[in-house]
Amino acid sequence: MYLLDHSMNSLGENLALDEALLEWIDTDCNTCEILRFWDSSQYGVVLGASRKYRDDVRIDACQRNTIPVVRRSSGGGTVLVGPGCLNIALLLQYDRHPALTTIGDAHQYVLQRVMSALQPMMLPEKTLHSQGIADLCLDDRKVGGTAQRRCRNSLLYHMSLLCHFSIPEIERYLKEPVDQPDYRQRRSHSDFLINLEIDLETCKSALCRTWGTVTDRFHLPLDRVKQLSQDQFNNDQWTYRR
């Protein structure tokens, strides 16, 4: 599995790179798999593919503070990214991982490997586990969200991990979701979300060991990234289509 630790200049370009890499491994390089990390020095809202922005986003606050709003191609809920949040993209081949056959099995397969990587860094009384559809949790509070985009031969698995994130910023820019897992019990973002309290580089190293990554240079499909950014991920018609 290749390691790509690379952040683009904008949220839309970061999402476009994930999509371009998915196209590449699904059609042209079906023996390749990639673990990608990226982060952002500025806050930004990332909508799930099918989310309604009016339900999830405090648009007035975002506009007032110039917070970008983009929409990814994978499912899942809407998240706020920014300093202290580690964004992960796993690009996996179905024929190399039989557990990826169904959406539910894929969630459990990936989350089990993530938990096995991060648990050794937690305090003994703190146990990572999954709740809801595919949330990564400490006790009954969420530390990570997940989403999938499934193609014919391969899968793009998105995960955002709260490492050292300012959770009050989430209250400022995101509404409480209309659809909530039972274990949330209608709690506010501040009462429901919690940080791992692990620095980003330590998380990266642990995940690299678990997935057996190798650092290698490969040609980034930057022309395709530019096109996808213009046509989709930095395009208001795509972002505000729901």
Side-chain angles (χ1 to χ4, degrees), residues 119 122-128 138-139 194:
Q119 184 60 52
M122 309 304 300
L123 293 173
E125 66 271 18
K126 297 292 186 180
T127 302
L128 290 168
L138 269 176
D139 297 327
I194 193 171

Side-chain angles (χ1 to χ4, degrees), residues 10-25:
S10 71
L11 285 183
E13 289 174 321
N14 276 306
L15 299 178
L17 177 55
D18 285 347
E19 187 74 8
L21 292 172
L22 178 62
E23 292 178 354
W24 178 53
I25 74 164

Side-chain angles (χ1 to χ4, degrees), residues 33-52:
E33 294 189 307
I34 300 169
L35 171 61
R36 180 189 170 214
F37 301 121
W38 65 271
D39 53 51
S40 175
S41 61
Q42 298 181 327
Y43 293 110
V45 173
V46 183
L47 290 155
S50 62
R51 298 303 304 169
K52 296 179 180 179

